[in-house]
């Protein structure tokens, strides 16, 4: 468990408490990596994930503290956009990406159109004319 956590190059909110596991950190557009100052127990091991090459917008940084158990602190890092950064609509999930690019309806549609075209041709060709 962390006893103290400071982000030296960003603003953390709410103030750190070892019993609170989710935080928001705001950083300016020049920050690529968060710099931490923290206190923990003597035999604890700390591993940080997702703290490289922070991109404009929302980033997620995890701090895992290993003692007798694993304690994870999640930092949602909001990095300012630069004037050169293109702003795109956020895609909230992989499912949304799949829904946008899913073209699985095309094959049955083509099959149905072919069936009705062939049926119409048979009707025209084999239709008996009245004399």
């Amino acid at each position: 468990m962390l006893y103290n956590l400071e982000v030296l190059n960003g603003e953390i909110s709410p103030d750190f408490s070892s019993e609170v596991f989710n935080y928001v950190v705001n950083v300016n557009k020049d920050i690529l990596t968060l710099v931490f100052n923290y206190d923990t127990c003597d035999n604890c091991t700390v591993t940080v994930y997702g703290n490289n090459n922070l991109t404009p917008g929302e980033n997620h940084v995890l701090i895992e503290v290993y003692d007798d158990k694993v304690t994870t602190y999640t930092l949602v890092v909001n990095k300012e956009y630069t004037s050169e950064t293109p702003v795109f609509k956020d895609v909230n999930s992989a499912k949304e990406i799949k829904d946008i690019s899913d073209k699985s309806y095309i094959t049955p549609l083509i099959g149905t159109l072919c069936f009705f075209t062939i049926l119409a041709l048979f009707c025209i060709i084999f239709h008996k004319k009245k004399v």
Side-chain angles (χ1 to χ4, degrees):
M1 181 172 292
L2 291 177
Y3 299 131
N4 183 36
L5 174 65
E6 292 178 85
V7 179
L8 302 178
N9 57 348
E11 297 177 22
I12 190 168
S13 174
D15 290 337
F16 182 78
S17 167
S18 59
E19 299 298 320
V20 176
F21 303 102
N22 296 300
Y23 295 90
V24 174
V25 178
N26 294 312
V27 297
N28 70 34
K29 60 187 175 192
D30 300 325
I31 302 298
L32 294 176
T33 304
L34 296 179
V35 178
F36 300 109
N37 184 19
Y38 58 85
D39 295 319
T40 187
C41 60
D42 291 336
N43 58 344
C44 289
T45 304
V46 176
T47 304
V48 179
Y49 298 99
N51 192 28
N52 294 325
N53 298 321
L54 298 173
T55 58
E58 188 175 286
N59 300 266
H60 295 269
V61 176
L62 301 177
I63 301 173
E64 289 187 347
V65 182
Y66 301 90
D67 191 3
D68 294 334
K69 62 179 184 160
V70 178
T71 306
T72 303
Y73 297 90
T74 302
L75 306 177
V76 176
V77 182
N78 295 313
K79 182 176 176 179
E80 289 179 339
Y81 286 94
T82 63
S83 59
E84 298 85 33
T85 305
V87 179
F88 299 102
K89 176 187 175 290
D90 288 339
V91 178
N92 294 327
S93 68
K95 181 183 181 310
E96 219 175 299
I97 293 171
K98 182 182 181 300
D99 290 345
I100 292 170
S101 63
D102 187 14
K103 305 285 190 232
S104 62
Y105 64 89
I106 291 177
T107 302
L109 179 65
I110 291 173
T112 303
L113 289 174
C114 289
F115 172 76
F116 283 113
T117 303
I118 292 170
L119 183 63
L121 286 173
F122 273 110
C123 289
I124 292 170
I125 293 172
F126 296 109
H127 178 69
K128 292 184 179 181
K129 295 183 179 180
K130 293 183 182 179
V131 195

